[in-house]
Amino acid sequence: MRKLRIGMAQINVTVGDFAGNTKRILKAITEARSLGVDLITFPELAMCGYPPEDLLFKPQFIEENLKCLDKVIEHTSGLAVVVGFVDAKEDIYNAAAIINDGKLCSVYHKIYLPNYGVFDENRYFQAGRECPMYVISGVGVGVNICEDIWYEAGPATAQAYAGAEVIINISASPYHAGKGDFREKMLGTRASDNVAIVAYTNLVGGQDELVFDGSSMVLNEKGELVARGKQFEEDLIVVDLDVEAVFRTRLHDPRWRKETLLLQDQRWHTAKIVLSELPFSASKPALLPRQVEVRSLPGEVYDALVLGTHDYVLKNGFEKVVIGLSGGIDSSLVTTIAVDALGSANVIGVSMPSRYSSSGSISDAELLAQNLGIKLITVSIEKVYQACLEILTDQFRDAKPDVTEENIQARIRGNILMALSNKFGWLVFTTGNKSEIATGYTTLYGDMAGGFAVIKDVPKTLVYQLAKYRNSVAGRELIPPSVINKAPSAELRPEQKDTDSLPSYDLLDPVLTAYVEEDRSVEQIIDMGFKKEVVERAARLVDTSEYKRRQAPPGIKITPRAFGRDRRLPITNRFHEC
Amino acid sequence: MRKLRIGMAQINVTVGDFAGNTKRILKAITEARSLGVDLITFPELAMCGYPPEDLLFKPQFIEENLKCLDKVIEHTSGLAVVVGFVDAKEDIYNAAAIINDGKLCSVYHKIYLPNYGVFDENRYFQAGRECPMYVISGVGVGVNICEDIWYEAGPATAQAYAGAEVIINISASPYHAGKGDFREKMLGTRASDNVAIVAYTNLVGGQDELVFDGSSMVLNEKGELVARGKQFEEDLIVVDLDVEAVFRTRLHDPRWRKETLLLQDQRWHTAKIVLSELPFSASKPALLPRQVEVRSLPGEVYDALVLGTHDYVLKNGFEKVVIGLSGGIDSSLVTTIAVDALGSANVIGVSMPSRYSSSGSISDAELLAQNLGIKLITVSIEKVYQACLEILTDQFRDAKPDVTEENIQARIRGNILMALSNKFGWLVFTTGNKSEIATGYTTLYGDMAGGFAVIKDVPKTLVYQLAKYRNSVAGRELIPPSVINKAPSAELRPEQKDTDSLPSYDLLDPVLTAYVEEDRSVEQIIDMGFKKEVVERAARLVDTSEYKRRQAPPGIKITPRAFGRDRRLPITNRFHEC
């Protein structure tokens, strides 16, 4: 019986942390060896982290990555390793090293370079043109990288036709809600189309705006899920791949036995490369397939936010964070996520009441802080607000109060949070949600002041779902019901409500999704059944607040299109549909 | 005598302003017709503006651009037109419409799509594969777009070999200091290599971070400059192209008569397309070639900043701007540029003295405002600063004064400027220079608060040059000598000097250029002869202030690599050379 014991190491690396990343890789190799693994796989660009962006223009960055690859090669006695790194020939390549028993046997260069959404790989890499098939312990193995497997009749197919029974894909595929399902279906189709086992190793961890969710998986030649790794956690998934089943199925599959093989792209060619033979792992004790339960949608998003928050804070060398607590749902959710990510000792809440703060808001902030066990500082902004109005009296003599006075308050709060940050080294979290960022219902340098915008990509309606989800997990009202049930308000003028300025979020959010994430026209959205005035107002607000978003802190992408690198619009733009 | 009278319309269009852009195009066509022009050319993507970025994902944006192209076609009786637009077939293309006498005769698709620096064209466009040669009034004409002509043995060569005697290149090539020279040399080489006349039409105007400098030019078959358009201004350059000279030279050029033609890339193919015959323009009165004088380097940069400033403000619908005047060189230069761009009536200076402001600084700001004839508002921040310290007393009880207190002052000033902006609709200009932005010697939400960062890409040493240049043009001390001669200081604590925190700018700026613009390693820069501690300190400061730059307002690119879209580094990054 030909069996290949694979270990898929979904590790959490940090961009540019060569020493740390190498250590993680070596640790996984050691563990895999002790488990009798024949072949261990690591994510795309595991050596340097993903995405390295313009660090790739620094020759010393590439060199360091090559040096660390050499170090990894030295520690591979007795097994095969596939690991992502940056290869440098006459140009640079997004590459996979195929290492066997202390020797670098081959290097695969990614063929399909994504250059859409958050990806800019054409900016950096030359595309590969070869997709070899490797023979490891008598098993045919194809290796390719991330985007490569998203194309039908792509490198995986070429490799299968050349004899690969196992397709290894190493990825750094960023999370968004619902992507996991789509990915699993696609990988299942690739496996069954090519009558091959697909072993997909994905990165895990947060990197600026992105969260990689792990969820590595193995699918058999029927396209069935055989094993799945943890989501949002490091994992080493060890599976015995039943290569005999592939052979048997191919013998009986008329589709497979067709004589003419049509490949979509003939630019790249295949070659057979035999890695030195290692003993089969057939004699080792059998492993039971292991699958991790799939979470609910709010659960998945919540965990993505926790991991993204944890990694942004710690990878950037911070320990503690500070959050302005208004008593509202957004800051309450952000604080809860922060506590789950960093522990209650590392989260400081600041209540900054003004003349317009309701007593309910102040007590809600206190109750939340108590529920979460965090320190709460109270700093009234009244004195400073009063002083601001005084020094501007001359200038504002003939003007009526308007949004100016509201923004002054928000900016005083921003100044206080930043002062605490500067003095004590705490990172400031902003608390704006996607609905607010989309419509510009935020104050630049005010509530937008901070280093990380945890729920920047979470629409307000999902904010509520996440709060309820977290309470249900806690089995108690961690986020007070009064916070969840009150009408949203910025409390920057008497009796203010969000609905004074915006349509209700139930109406607004689906319109924003259609306009921002799906590029639907105003006309199309109205045709979908939404009110003309709501759609036009929303589109106008989105268009005219681009300048604010350009100065927003980064936040975690959880939808198919986040603000940030994912959506690049000019500020200077006279194209408006209404 | 075969002559072709060409009109190159370097126009200032606005992204998404289809009505306005169409109007400009039609106006130029009318003027060209009255001047007996046979062929008028417009810049790359003149129809929609450049770069349209993710607006290209909106189908209605593409449609609007096609409708406007139809409108242009209707108005082309009696002449030929080449104009840039977005073509939509099975995908979208960066295209040139070749129109003749009311008919669309052909469409050229850009072949080489730039995807480096500020460019992301692979994100949007499919590359063209055909480069036809057109016959207009018996003259062979090749049309290609921007990047296409930067490749030797590229489309221009293919077109020349197919019979083109005139190569039309339409561009949207952003300015940086020194690029004009390089461009002229390159175009001269293309012309002489291909024994063809090159007519290069470049966009003019500001668009967010970019300034397009115009400087359209015609080079003859010897590579000599025949005509040059204005720099940083709209222009219609009308030239009689001496096509007979091309024919004569080709007859006598052994290089040209070689039998084997080797082209770098065989993917695209040529075809001959005959446009309907129009009468020669030989009988028209001869035109004298016209060339515009080339400016000095500081003069060129200064004018780039003025145009970029003018266009950002007006294209975004603002009239007036407000600037905090510290009495220092940076804010003085920015204010002078603002007055040159917008007029003194549209610039408001705000002096915001604190307990640490020297009397010299206050009087320097007053003198500058007087010299420039602008309104000066004075708002002392003392009361607000005092109030801030008071409300933070409890929190800061055990802490020593540090950069926190300095930042509080800067952020109070940011709040005041934004309050004036909110109340009166004035756009806030920030005044930080490139040396400060590079090293993070700025306060986020403080002096970085504002909509546009005029001198963001100007190193401090160049700031001085620009100030002196402007004074020399004025023939008087517009920017007071005391401003130019004082030691730079943020005046946020007693006796503060920039050199307390940074190396002197004469030492710092060349190191920053090597590190930021040229990607040299710390080791290489030390080998260039700079002090180890200066280089290491500068590199560390640049690396660790990425998070500030991510929230900085846009500013005008004037160097080969600006901060912004031009340089994309992760915030989360553990790669440090020292």
Side-chain angles (χ1 to χ4, degrees), chain A residues 513-528:
Chain A
T513 301
Y515 190 69
V516 173
E517 292 177 30
E518 296 163 6
D519 284 319
R520 289 183 203 264
S521 69
V522 166
E523 203 184 313
Q524 286 170 334
I525 304 172
I526 295 169
D527 287 349
M528 286 163 72

Side-chain angles (χ1 to χ4, degrees), chain A residues 382-553:
Chain A
E382 185 54 33
K383 257 188 210 163
V384 177
Y385 181 49
Q386 193 54 51
C388 280
L389 295 181
E390 274 172 37
I391 64 169
L392 286 165
T393 311
D394 279 357
Q395 305 307 324
F396 288 1
R397 194 175 306 279
D398 303 322
K400 282 185 195 147
D402 57 12
V403 75
T404 308
E405 285 74 12
E406 300 180 26
N407 284 338
I408 288 174
Q409 297 165 63
R411 292 190 179 112
I412 292 168
R413 292 192 174 112
N415 199 346
I416 290 168
L417 289 174
M418 289 304 295
L420 292 166
S421 170
N422 288 161
K423 192 63 95 185
F424 304 116
W426 305 335
L427 182 65
V428 178
F429 279 177
T430 65
T431 63
N433 60 59
K434 190 173 194 175
S435 314
E436 290 173 350
I437 307 276
T439 54
Y441 194 65
T442 53
T443 302
L444 202 48
Y445 325 126
D447 58 318
M448 286 177 77
F452 198 57
V454 176
I455 57 170
K456 182 184 182 181
D457 198 34
V458 182
K460 185 80 171 192
T461 45
L462 183 53
V463 168
Y464 285 102
Q465 286 183 51
L466 292 175
K468 288 172 192 162
Y469 161 81
R470 186 62 186 86
N471 279 359
S472 79
V473 170
R476 63 190 177 105
E477 284 162 341
L478 203 61
I479 298 174
S482 50
V483 167
I484 297 176
N485 297 326
K486 75 175 87 168
S489 166
E491 296 197 333
L492 293 169
R493 61 172 188 260
E495 303 299 324
Q496 187 177 30
K497 296 278 170 286
D498 287 12
T499 45
D500 301 344
S501 308
L502 295 176
S504 84
Y505 291 109
D506 284 342
L507 291 174
L508 180 63
D509 279 355
V511 171
L512 290 175
T513 301
Y515 190 69
V516 173
E517 292 177 30
E518 296 163 6
D519 284 319
R520 289 183 203 264
S521 69
V522 166
E523 203 184 313
Q524 286 170 334
I525 304 172
I526 295 169
D527 287 349
M528 286 163 72
F530 294 99
K531 273 192 195 157
K532 190 165 183 285
E533 68 258 29
V534 171
V535 179
E536 290 188 348
R537 183 154 167 60
R540 214 161 32 235
L541 288 170
V542 171
D543 287 358
T544 52
S545 48
E546 190 53 39
Y547 75 99
K548 286 192 188 179
R549 286 189 290 271
R550 197 66 71 88
Q551 295 188 43

Side-chain angles (χ1 to χ4, degrees), chain A residues 12-84:
Chain A
N12 187 342
V13 297
T14 300
V15 167
D17 184 12
F18 291 107
N21 299 348
T22 304
K23 213 168 142 188
R24 259 167 222 270
I25 291 169
L26 295 184
K27 186 166 162 270
I29 289 176
T30 304
E31 192 183 341
R33 194 186 284 113
S34 76
L35 293 170
V37 162
D38 299 307
L39 168 63
I40 180 168
T41 58
F42 292 93
E44 179 179 16
L45 294 190
M47 213 73 245
C48 63
Y50 189 92
E53 303 187 65
D54 283 9
L55 290 168
L56 290 168
F57 295 143
K58 293 177 183 277
Q60 58 279 22
F61 183 87
I62 311 286
E63 271 165 42
E64 203 61 46
N65 132 94
L66 292 174
K67 271 187 213 157
C68 288
L69 178 67
D70 284 341
K71 203 172 289 174
V72 169
I73 294 170
E74 280 171 27
H75 289 81
T76 56
S77 72
L79 79 178
V81 176
V82 174
V83 61

Side-chain angles (χ1 to χ4, degrees), chain A residues 54 117 123 208 568 571-572, chain B residues 54 117 123 208 568 571-572:
Chain A
D54 283 9
R123 183 176 169 90
D208 288 355
R568 306 176 189 177
I571 296 174
T572 306
Chain B
D54 283 8
R123 183 175 170 90
D208 288 356
R568 306 176 189 177
I571 296 175
T572 306

Side-chain angles (χ1 to χ4, degrees), chain B residues 380-401:
Chain B
S380 161
I381 67 164
E382 184 55 32
K383 255 186 210 165
V384 178
Y385 182 48
Q386 193 53 51
C388 279
L389 294 180
E390 273 172 38
I391 64 169
L392 287 165
T393 311
D394 280 357
Q395 306 307 324
F396 289 0
R397 194 175 306 280
D398 303 322
K400 283 186 196 147

Side-chain angles (χ1 to χ4, degrees), chain A residues 132-146:
Chain A
M133 192 276 292
Y134 307 110
V135 182
I136 304 179
S137 305
V139 176
V141 176
V143 171
N144 53 55
I145 304 177
C146 205

